[in-house]
Amino acid sequence: MNRRHMLKTTVALAALPAMLASVARAQGTAMTPEKKHAEDTKKAGSLSLATSRVAQEKATDPMVKAFAGWEVAEQETIADILKSMESEGKAEGALKPPSDSEVEAMLDAEGKATLDKLKAASGAEFDHAYVAAQLDGHRKLLAIQEEYLKVGQNRERLSVTKLARGQIKEHIDHLQMMTDAK
């Protein structure tokens, strides 16, 4: 009896790799860590970019306006890098920032509501709401980067993620200082 049980277990264990490979093929549409990282980063980054483009025009505080300019430049660069990493062919040095319509297409319902709220605000109310939205968004971006650094496999994407993480941490500190100064 014990021998039969051992034989069945051995056969089952021998078949396991083939079964797992079959499941993996069936789930071929499953999102890889790299794809999830790119999608999550683009989604959170698009909100940051959209609100910062608005802030370049509407911010009244000089520090808020300056931050918005830096954020636009950074998010346009990150969006271009992520798009480049997904495409085949020769890399280019010219920056190709996403259009407003491309950015807004990446926003979920919550992001669209945040953007609409900011577009409706003005003066010090706008500045405060923008900084709060950026602080929240940067915390989300940091969590996305930290998660990918735990599971990522692609050397170039990991390197870009490490650089992004450092910038995000600096921005959180800067935003927190602007919040504390009010």
Side-chain angles (χ1 to χ4, degrees):
M1 182 80 163
N2 209 3
R3 283 177 116 183
R4 282 188 206 166
H5 183 66
M6 286 178 56
L7 183 58
K8 286 180 184 177
T9 302
T10 302
V11 170
L13 287 174
L16 187 59
M19 289 181 354
L20 291 175
S22 175
V23 169
R25 282 191 301 277
Q27 293 179 341
T29 58
M31 197 173 286
T32 65
E34 286 69 28
K35 181 75 172 164
K36 180 174 179 2
H37 172 256
E39 292 302 313
D40 291 349
T41 300
K42 285 189 286 188
K43 180 180 161 189
S46 290
L47 179 58
S48 183
L49 177 55
T51 57
S52 294
R53 284 178 174 172
V54 172
Q56 284 183 303
E57 302 299 320
K58 294 185 77 169
T60 57
D61 183 297
M63 288 303 297
V64 172
K65 192 176 275 287
F67 182 87
W70 301 328
E71 190 63 20
V72 166
E74 181 182 61
Q75 289 301 328
E76 287 178 348
T77 302
I78 291 293
D80 184 58
I81 289 169
L82 290 172
K83 188 174 185 178
S84 170
M85 291 175 98
E86 294 170 350
S87 64
E88 299 291 326
K90 186 178 175 186
E92 296 180 33
L95 179 66
K96 295 180 181 173
S99 68
D100 286 339
S101 61
E102 289 173 315
V103 170
E104 290 187 26
M106 289 295 301
L107 301 179
D108 60 11
E110 182 182 347
K112 289 176 184 175
T114 299
L115 182 59
D116 289 343
K117 178 182 170 189
L118 282 172
K119 285 180 177 180
S122 61
E125 177 190 356
F126 173 86
D127 292 348
H128 176 75
Y130 170 73
V131 170
Q134 286 295 313
L135 193 52
D136 180 60
H138 277 74
R139 288 179 177 144
K140 289 176 182 172
L141 278 165
L142 181 59
I144 292 164
Q145 307 320 302
E146 295 287 354
E147 182 60 32
Y148 178 70
L149 289 170
K150 293 176 190 172
V151 299
Q153 300 293 312
N154 181 282
R155 179 188 352 258
E156 289 77 20
R157 190 175 296 274
L158 284 166
S159 296
V160 168
T161 302
K162 289 173 186 176
L163 290 170
R165 177 183 56 185
Q167 288 297 111
I168 293 166
K169 285 180 176 182
E170 286 180 23
H171 285 197
I172 290 171
D173 288 347
H174 194 120
L175 289 160
Q176 193 60 57
M177 285 188 279
M178 286 194 293
T179 299
D180 294 345
K182 300 286 177 196

